[in-house]
Amino acid sequence: MDPLSATFAALADPTRRAILGRLADGEATVTELAEPFDMTTQAVSKHLRVLEEAGLITRGRRAQWRPSRLREDALDDATDWLEHHRAAFRQRFDALDREIAALRKDEENDRGKH
Amino acid sequence: MDPLSATFAALADPTRRAILGRLADGEATVTELAEPFDMTTQAVSKHLRVLEEAGLITRGRRAQWRPSRLREDALDDATDWLEHHRAAFRQRFDALDREIAALRKDEENDRGKH
DNA sequence: GCATTGTTCAACCATCAGGTTGCACAACCG
DNA sequence: CGGTTGTGCAACCTGATGGTTGAACAATGC
């Protein structure tokens, strides 16, 4: 899967988004991350694998713990795509607005000629 | 599915992202949208349904054509989430930087006492 | 050494996603 | 009217996802 698709897919799950939010407070182990959820640690471990493969987190290794932490550039590509396209979309709607304004003006002129 | 998850899930597919890019140039019918892809129109129709249910596009009805067009506020929620969290992540890393700088300073002070 | 703890792995299950084909239906065009 | 075109719907297939349970393994603590 291409990296951008992997990132958006990783973000398309509320559990994973909550995990990312938690990690903004600092690194955490699997059991710590699993605590708020009604879910086994194995399930959370799977979510962490998805986040890691999407390049959103990295995972350390300290004794039997595997602390997860955010990657600093985690959301850069996704943010770039979204901002770029949102800007393009806005431009499109602005163009439409101008067209509509031009049509209105034509109508006025037509009425003037009568 | 919650709206934010639906939006990210919709964006997690290169075909759908390409369709959105195409729609930034103006509305288009299913067959027009399907043309660049090695895929049946039915498959594209399914993608459009996903985009519609995620609130990213709306679909008109003109004779036997169903023109799709972007929703003006399509990417707002997703952009908000990403920008908010990217900012929070940055703050986290800035805090880490400060901690590291403080540790370095302590070391210097310790050396000074010898 | 042995029980406990934190984590992963493997197998399994149910559901969903992305594609196909085939058909149905509505609107146009001769 | 009958044929063509644009689209949607239903059934189906395959592979991925999100969860479970049970076992394995590595490191800790008595």
Side-chain angles (χ1 to χ4, degrees):
Chain A
M1 187 156 51
D2 65 294
L4 197 50
S5 297
T7 300
F8 282 130
L11 295 177
D13 182 289
T15 304
R16 285 193 291 264
R17 289 198 304 275
I19 289 175
L20 292 176
R22 165 66 184 77
L23 289 177
D25 294 336
E27 68 177 33
T29 66
V30 179
T31 33
E32 286 169 352
L33 291 171
E35 196 274 329
F37 302 107
D38 187 19
M39 193 183 298
T40 62
T41 57
Q42 289 96 320
V44 171
S45 185
K46 278 192 181 184
H47 282 303
L48 292 173
R49 210 160 109 80
V50 173
L51 291 170
E52 186 178 24
E53 284 178 353
L56 298 181
I57 65 171
T58 58
R59 321 181 63 185
R61 194 180 291 264
R62 205 149 52 227
Q64 70 267 49
W65 292 276
R66 298 293 312 278
S68 300
R69 62 168 59 196
L70 291 171
R71 279 195 51 172
E72 185 157 10
D73 56 356
L75 302 182
D76 288 359
D77 288 349
T79 308
D80 287 352
W81 191 93
L82 268 182
E83 286 181 349
H84 174 258
H85 281 80
R86 191 162 71 149
F89 294 0
R90 290 272 167 218
Q91 244 179 331
R92 170 70 198 154
F93 286 110
D94 291 349
L96 279 176
D97 286 347
R98 280 195 298 278
E99 284 173 35
I100 290 167
L103 286 175
R104 291 239 171 84
K105 191 143 194 175
D106 284 354
E107 277 178 24
E108 277 174 35
N109 289 345
D110 285 353
R111 271 201 299 277
K113 284 176 190 166
H114 280 257
Chain B
M1 187 155 50
D2 65 294
L4 197 51
S5 297
T7 300
F8 282 131
L11 295 177
D13 182 288
T15 304
R16 285 194 291 264
R17 289 198 304 275
I19 288 176
L20 291 177
R22 164 65 184 79
L23 289 178
D25 295 337
E27 67 176 33
T29 67
V30 178
T31 33
E32 286 167 352
L33 291 171
E35 196 272 330
F37 302 108
D38 187 18
M39 193 184 299
T40 63
T41 57
Q42 288 95 322
V44 171
S45 185
K46 276 193 182 184
H47 282 303
L48 292 173
R49 210 160 107 81
V50 173
L51 290 170
E52 186 179 23
E53 285 178 352
L56 299 181
I57 66 171
T58 58
R59 320 180 65 184
R61 195 180 291 264
R62 207 150 48 229
Q64 70 266 49
W65 293 278
R66 299 292 312 277
S68 301
R69 63 167 60 195
L70 291 171
R71 279 194 52 173
E72 185 157 10
D73 56 356
L75 302 182
D76 288 359
D77 289 348
T79 308
D80 287 351
W81 191 93
L82 269 182
E83 286 181 348
H84 174 258
H85 282 81
R86 191 161 71 149
F89 294 1
R90 290 275 165 213
Q91 243 180 332
R92 170 73 199 152
F93 287 109
D94 291 348
L96 278 177
D97 287 347
R98 279 195 300 276
E99 283 174 37
I100 291 167
L103 286 176
R104 291 239 172 84
K105 192 144 194 176
D106 284 353
E107 279 178 23
E108 277 173 35
N109 290 345
D110 286 353
R111 271 200 300 276
K113 284 176 191 166
H114 281 256

